[in-house]
Amino acid sequence: MTADSTVAVAPAPVERVARRGGRYEFLDALRGLAAFAVVIQHVSERLFPAYFRFSQAYFGLGEFGVFVFFLVSGFIIPASMERGRSLGQFWVGRFFRLYPLFWACLTAAMLLYSVNQFGLRASYLEHSVRNFLANLTMVQFFLGGENILIIGASWSLAYELVFYLFLSLLLIAGLNRKSVPLAVLAVALIIPGAFLPVAMVTGAGANAGTRTAVVVLTIVVAMVFATLASNRRMALTAIGLAFLTVPLVLNQPGASAMTFGYFATMFVGTVLYRITSGEIAAWRGWAVFGFAIGLIFFVSTFLQPTLDPITGVWITWVKQPLTIIPAYLFFAAFLFLRRYSFPQPLLYLGRISYSLYLVHALVLDFPRWHSSVLGVPPQWLTLLTLVTAALVIAAVTYRVIEQPCHNYGHRVIKRMEARKRAEPAPVTTG
């Protein structure tokens, strides 16, 4: 297998799942509800102080939505990778699926900032050009943390992108279908991961020792995956991917336990996909699912209380299990309903979920209502206005930017496939 050759694995036959337009309905329903949860969280926390305090202390609706997204990605991305296309074609598809809209939203954010309708952190403005370029990579959260984010919600996209890098390495090594041991390992690493220093490359605490550790681990990972590659070209690809992936992960700026928890969640999603494809016994997959939930609860009990500087509430250990475990159970419930159809409006919300996830950040600083109308308080009027604006703009950006770019990506992939078929077969002698 080469970077531009067909992946030498047959796609697994997925059991009957309700589809519409080639898309799994239950996943679109989950995407739509997850994106809407994030929107409601970000709008409500700006309008209702009591809700903000509750969401910081007990149940974060936005974080709940992000964990649902991570499970969805873990479920569907391996299926996308294993369709029989090349690794290069997968990344072409991902590029046109994610980057054009993301770059458009970054540009819109800067334009809104210029007319005082969008807020940027002071830490971003200290090195605005450098930080803008970092944001263009979509892994900006691993380069400078939340202090350099233009669109706050984009931190999760960095984790998704690094997860794709992980899967690419596993595919090259032929380990991509070892989902159960990989998920168990990823979940188990949450415990030692909690003791890992943050931002080992560029952080305030980074030093020669941490950077040396990053270099050594990167070389080891590169050598291992290069050795497992099927030929020289894929070995070189593996080395390049390792030199991207390992430093990014070890430069994560947040709580290390959460970082490993995010990746573990995506690998758990992959295990659930293997159940539906018939590649593993259901009991094994659900055992991994239960193991993840149990360990998340166990690790959470050791979290020390922290004082939230914005709301002034103490964030105790109870918030993480009360937020993350319901996200797991919510995904599981929809997985059990995968053979059923869902309402068209919910499916449409799922189709525009990526647009909604990004563009809602652009409306958060729009003007608010200051007086009641027909007895409706101004906070509720503002909530309705901002959510409606986000939905409308998302529908437009999906139609004008996201969908056309996605379709163009498919055309590029088809041209790549046509060129590959037109190449003469290698001559063998013997």
Side-chain angles (χ1 to χ4, degrees):
M1 182 178 68
T2 68
D4 296 316
S5 66
T6 301
V7 176
V9 288
V14 180
E15 67 174 28
R16 190 178 74 82
V17 179
R19 302 189 189 195
R20 190 172 304 189
R23 300 167 64 100
Y24 296 152
E25 291 197 21
F26 86 97
L27 289 182
D28 268 342
L30 281 166
R31 288 188 187 101
L33 292 172
F36 197 70
V38 173
V39 174
I40 294 299
Q41 170 69 41
H42 290 162
V43 175
S44 298
E45 68 186 25
R46 291 175 173 238
L47 299 173
F48 305 103
Y51 169 77
F52 194 13
R53 290 192 294 272
F54 170 83
S55 68
Q56 290 294 83
Y58 299 107
F59 174 77
L61 184 61
E63 190 177 350
F64 165 90
V66 169
F67 270 91
V68 171
F69 270 127
F70 285 157
L71 286 164
V72 169
S73 292
F75 186 97
I76 197 61
I77 294 302
S80 177
M81 270 191 167
E82 296 165 6
R83 287 175 181 170
R85 291 174 173 169
S86 72
L87 193 58
Q89 290 165 354
F90 166 79
W91 278 100
V92 167
R94 287 290 90 190
F95 175 83
F96 285 103
R97 173 73 174 85
L98 299 175
Y99 278 92
L101 178 64
F102 182 60
W103 288 346
C105 288
L106 293 180
T107 303
M110 301 309 296
L111 292 174
L112 288 170
Y113 171 76
S114 68
V115 293
N116 298 317
Q117 291 299 317
F118 188 84
L120 291 171
R121 296 172 183 265
S123 52
Y124 170 88
L125 296 173
E126 289 176 0
H127 304 283
S128 57
V129 175
R130 183 184 70 188
N131 290 335
F132 181 79
L133 294 175
N135 275 266
L136 292 177
T137 67
M138 204 182 283
V139 293
Q140 68 280 9
F141 187 69
F142 291 101
L143 301 178
E146 63 180 8
N147 289 331
I148 71 167
L149 297 179
I150 295 175
I151 295 175
S154 67
W155 68 268
S156 66
L157 301 180
Y159 281 96
E160 297 250 4
L161 208 62
V162 172
F163 179 64
Y164 303 162
L165 293 171
F166 272 133
L167 291 184
S168 299
L169 280 168
L170 293 171
L171 189 66
I172 290 172
L175 301 174
N176 52 298
R177 294 194 188 276
K178 306 293 184 181
S179 299
V180 169
L182 286 170
V184 171
L185 176 63
V187 173
L189 284 174
I190 294 175
I191 295 178
F195 301 97
L196 191 70
V198 301
M200 295 174 65
V201 180
T202 64
N207 53 44
T210 62
R211 295 186 180 106
T212 300
V214 171
V215 171
V216 170
L217 185 57
T218 300
I219 293 172
V220 170
V221 172
M223 291 176 61
V224 169
F225 281 92
T227 302
L228 294 173
S230 59
N231 56 50
R232 182 174 180 274
R233 188 170 183 180
M234 289 312 297
L236 293 174
T237 302
I239 292 171
L241 289 171
F243 272 80
L244 277 174
T245 308
V246 177
L248 285 174
V249 172
L250 296 181
N251 202 46
Q252 56 82 28
S256 299
M258 291 301 297
T259 288
F260 282 91
Y262 298 143
F263 289 126
T265 296
M266 288 185 264
F267 279 108
V268 169
T270 301
V271 168
L272 298 180
Y273 165 70
R274 302 298 179 198
I275 295 176
T276 64
S277 67
E279 296 173 80
I280 64 171
W283 72 266
R284 292 183 67 205
W286 290 114
V288 173
F289 183 85
F291 173 61
I293 287 179
L295 193 135
I296 288 169
F297 183 87
F298 174 75
V299 172
S300 297
T301 62
F302 290 91
L303 296 177
Q304 296 299 311
T306 58
L307 182 64
D308 180 61
I310 300 176
T311 62
V313 302
W314 283 94
I315 303 174
T316 65
W317 70 270
V318 300
K319 179 185 176 180
Q320 297 307 329
L322 287 180
T323 299
I324 301 171
I325 294 175
Y328 272 64
L329 298 178
F330 191 69
F331 184 93
F334 274 70
L335 184 62
F336 282 117
L337 297 173
R338 62 189 177 275
R339 297 180 179 87
Y340 297 93
S341 294
F342 289 84
Q344 180 61 35
L346 183 56
L347 298 179
Y348 179 74
L349 189 64
R351 286 197 296 275
I352 68 169
S353 58
Y354 180 53
S355 284
L356 182 61
Y357 187 78
L358 288 178
V359 305
H360 85 275
L362 303 178
V363 308
L364 295 177
D365 291 320
F366 278 13
R368 303 181 182 183
W369 292 82
H370 296 288
S371 59
S372 300
V373 175
L374 300 176
V376 180
Q379 295 95 329
W380 288 99
L381 289 172
T382 302
L383 175 71
L384 179 62
T385 302
L386 295 184
V387 171
T388 301
L391 289 168
V392 170
I393 297 171
V396 173
T397 56
Y398 173 78
R399 182 67 179 271
V400 175
I401 302 174
E402 184 181 351
Q403 190 176 39
C405 290
H406 194 197
N407 292 339
Y408 180 76
H410 280 298
R411 292 196 295 272
V412 172
I413 290 172
K414 287 181 179 179
R415 289 198 293 268
M416 293 172 67
E417 291 173 339
R419 285 197 300 270
K420 186 64 181 177
R421 288 194 297 268
E423 291 179 0
V427 178
T428 59
T429 60

